[in-house]
Amino acid sequence: MKINKCPRKHIHYYIDEIPELLDSLFKNNINFENIADLGCGDGAILFALSKKGYLQNIKTIFALDISAERIDAVRKIDEKITCQVADVSNLNIIQDNFLDLVISNQVIEHIPDEDRFVKEMSRVLRPHGLLYLSTVFKKWYGWYFYRNSQDAWVLDPAHLREYTQEENLLDIIKKYNFSVIKNRKHLQWFPVTDFFCKRLGLSRRIYQNKIIRYLRMFKIPIPGYYNWEMLLVKGLS
């Protein structure tokens, strides 16, 4: 499959925020030469990193997602980004031990074979390379109004799983030679506008509207649902 380079074009995204744990890596001037955002979606994190100037000195940036439509959006962020429509469980365009940092933000809960995904991330990271991994963690009392393909109540209908015990994921992480540097959870907060936009089936373009972007600042907590973030390093165990 041909690898496409992203032409430069400024575009507004519905999220301009960088997860705090990820932001701290760049603020601390860690020298990343080669990075990848796996399951990048429409490039919200890469857009935010670019906006802060964090991508300026990075030599190679991969953006991979299974959605061609979303990859088309990523192409508008920065011409340095190598964009690819791909299954992130099969990273055949990235060589072994090449990356300094892998970003996987709210992706693994969508992946059919989580074991294979973690194995691939370990393969492409260099020894002592870093992995920023976030996913959904659900308490026993957590509930949201979507059902997935297994008829379970979930935060997103595309979720194949929502972790309820840390060991379910940590055992896989340790299996592929990752050590945990930081491990934390914080309550999920969702913008009220997202509820109505999703229920009405509105296009994602609605988030480019300045009023909608302002209204997204008003958020509500989702009881029982947490954003689970980890910073992992390969090869210290």
Side-chain angles (χ1 to χ4, degrees):
M1 186 179 292
K2 183 179 179 182
I3 298 174
N4 299 297
K5 293 289 184 176
C6 307
R8 181 179 296 276
K9 180 180 178 183
H10 183 75
I11 188 170
H12 290 290
Y13 287 80
Y14 64 92
I15 297 174
D16 297 343
E17 302 169 355
I18 305 171
E20 184 179 349
L21 196 55
L22 182 60
D23 190 40
S24 66
L25 292 180
F26 290 90
K27 281 182 178 177
N28 290 330
N29 297 315
I30 294 178
N31 185 25
F32 298 127
E33 288 190 2
N34 307 305
I35 73 171
D37 187 351
L38 304 180
C40 61
D42 57 11
I45 284 184
L46 290 173
F47 173 74
L49 292 173
S50 178
K51 190 173 180 181
K52 274 202 168 184
Y54 288 154
L55 302 183
Q56 290 180 358
N57 298 321
I58 296 178
K59 182 179 178 182
T60 307
I61 307 165
F62 288 103
L64 280 71
D65 197 89
I66 201 167
S67 167
E69 180 182 1
R70 290 186 173 187
I71 284 294
D72 283 342
V74 183
R75 291 192 175 101
K76 301 178 178 73
I77 299 173
D78 193 311
E79 62 186 6
K80 292 174 59 176
I81 302 174
T82 299
C83 299
Q84 179 78 34
V85 178
D87 176 359
V88 294
S89 296
N90 185 15
L91 305 173
N92 55 14
I93 69 165
I94 306 176
Q95 66 192 59
D96 294 359
N97 304 313
F98 180 70
L99 299 174
D100 303 299
L101 171 68
V102 166
I103 300 167
S104 173
N105 184 51
Q106 301 292 309
V107 173
I108 196 168
E109 63 273 12
H110 298 266
I111 303 297
D113 191 342
E114 55 188 328
D115 189 283
R116 182 180 175 187
F117 181 43
V118 176
K119 181 180 181 180
E120 276 290 87
M121 290 192 287
S122 179
R123 178 185 66 79
V124 298
L125 271 169
R126 65 169 175 79
H128 297 184
L130 298 175
L131 168 60
Y132 170 80
L133 176 64
S134 73
T135 187
V136 171
F137 191 89
K138 181 180 181 179
K139 298 285 190 178
W140 66 268
Y141 55 87
W143 181 87
Y144 206 56
F145 56 83
Y146 287 123
R147 285 185 183 270
N148 66 7
S149 57
Q150 289 82 43
D151 203 34
W153 295 106
V154 289
L155 196 60
D156 186 307
H159 287 179
L160 300 180
R161 70 190 63 82
E162 291 177 343
Y163 295 101
T164 57
Q165 296 182 18
E166 286 196 355
E167 292 76 14
N168 293 341
L169 181 54
L170 290 179
D171 286 349
I172 300 174
I173 286 168
K174 293 173 183 177
K175 177 180 176 182
Y176 293 108
N177 202 22
F178 283 110
S179 298
V180 178
I181 299 175
K182 293 185 179 180
N183 179 351
R184 68 186 192 184
K185 303 180 187 73
H186 53 85
L187 194 63
Q188 287 272 15
W189 288 72
F190 267 19
V192 177
T193 51
D194 287 12
F195 173 85
F196 294 103
C197 290
K198 288 181 179 180
R199 298 301 284 181
L200 292 172
L202 299 178
S203 166
R204 295 171 71 84
R205 293 188 181 91
I206 193 68
Y207 294 109
Q208 297 178 25
N209 181 281
K210 290 182 179 180
I211 296 175
I212 296 296
R213 288 167 62 83
Y214 172 76
L215 291 175
R216 287 193 87 252
M217 293 189 298
F218 299 95
K219 300 179 180 181
I220 58 173
I222 303 178
Y225 272 101
Y226 290 78
N227 181 24
W228 182 15
E229 293 182 292
M230 286 183 284
L231 181 61
L232 310 169
V233 61
K234 173 186 170 182
L236 287 187
S237 60

